Amino acid sequence: MGKTVPIRLNDEQLARVEESAALAGYKHLSTYMRDRLLEPSKVDSHQGGIDQWADQQRIMSLLESLDQAQATNRTILAIVVYLLRQNSTQGKLSELRAELSALGSNEEALAALLPELAKDIERLSGED
């Protein structure tokens, strides 16, 4: 038989531990406490909470940058549609489509379509 280790809990702490043990389906409080104490995934639950918070912050940051990229895409698409309507001759449309298909990024598309606007945006955003 193993050794016992005395643990002192106040009434509130004991009530919380008993409730947790009952919810987890344990009949004996000592078995619940031993399992909780020695369970590897629960050894550092505080660290797990910090890791979860850090993951949430990273995900929020990624979602924010995705939202910004989508806003940029919508703006550039609106510019392209406007330009397509302004230059409605078939030759101009074909030339514009070819130019856009060769470009890799939104910034390149904007620079090709409206170079002055692209320079202003770059200057105002502080990018070099």
Side-chain angles (χ1 to χ4, degrees), residues 68-69 71-83 96 99-125 127:
Q68 289 172 351
T72 301
N73 287 339
R74 284 190 299 271
T75 302
I76 290 174
L77 287 174
I79 291 169
V80 169
V81 168
Y82 172 78
L83 290 174
L96 188 55
E99 209 174 317
L100 290 175
S101 66
L103 300 175
S105 71
N106 293 329
E107 291 80 14
E108 290 175 352
L110 186 60
L113 295 172
L114 299 167
E116 297 82 16
L117 180 60
K119 287 177 187 173
D120 289 342
I121 291 172
E122 185 176 327
R123 182 180 51 81
L124 291 172
S125 66
E127 297 175 5

Side-chain angles (χ1 to χ4, degrees), residues 30-92:
S30 61
T31 306
Y32 171 75
M33 293 178 74
R34 183 189 61 228
D35 288 351
R36 275 297 277 192
L37 183 66
L38 299 176
E39 187 177 318
S41 65
K42 300 293 184 190
V43 170
D44 193 0
S45 62
H46 181 68
Q47 183 63 36
I50 292 172
D51 290 342
Q52 276 184 327
W53 179 82
D55 285 344
Q56 281 181 332
Q57 295 304 309
R58 186 180 58 79
I59 289 169
M60 293 293 285
S61 174
L62 290 172
L63 287 173
E64 186 177 321
S65 63
L66 180 62
D67 189 43
Q68 289 172 351
Q70 286 177 334
T72 301
N73 287 339
R74 284 190 299 271
T75 302
I76 290 174
L77 287 174
I79 291 169
V80 169
V81 168
Y82 172 78
L83 290 174
L84 286 172
R85 289 186 179 165
Q86 293 298 313
N87 300 315
S88 58
T89 66
Q90 190 60 38
K92 278 288 192 185

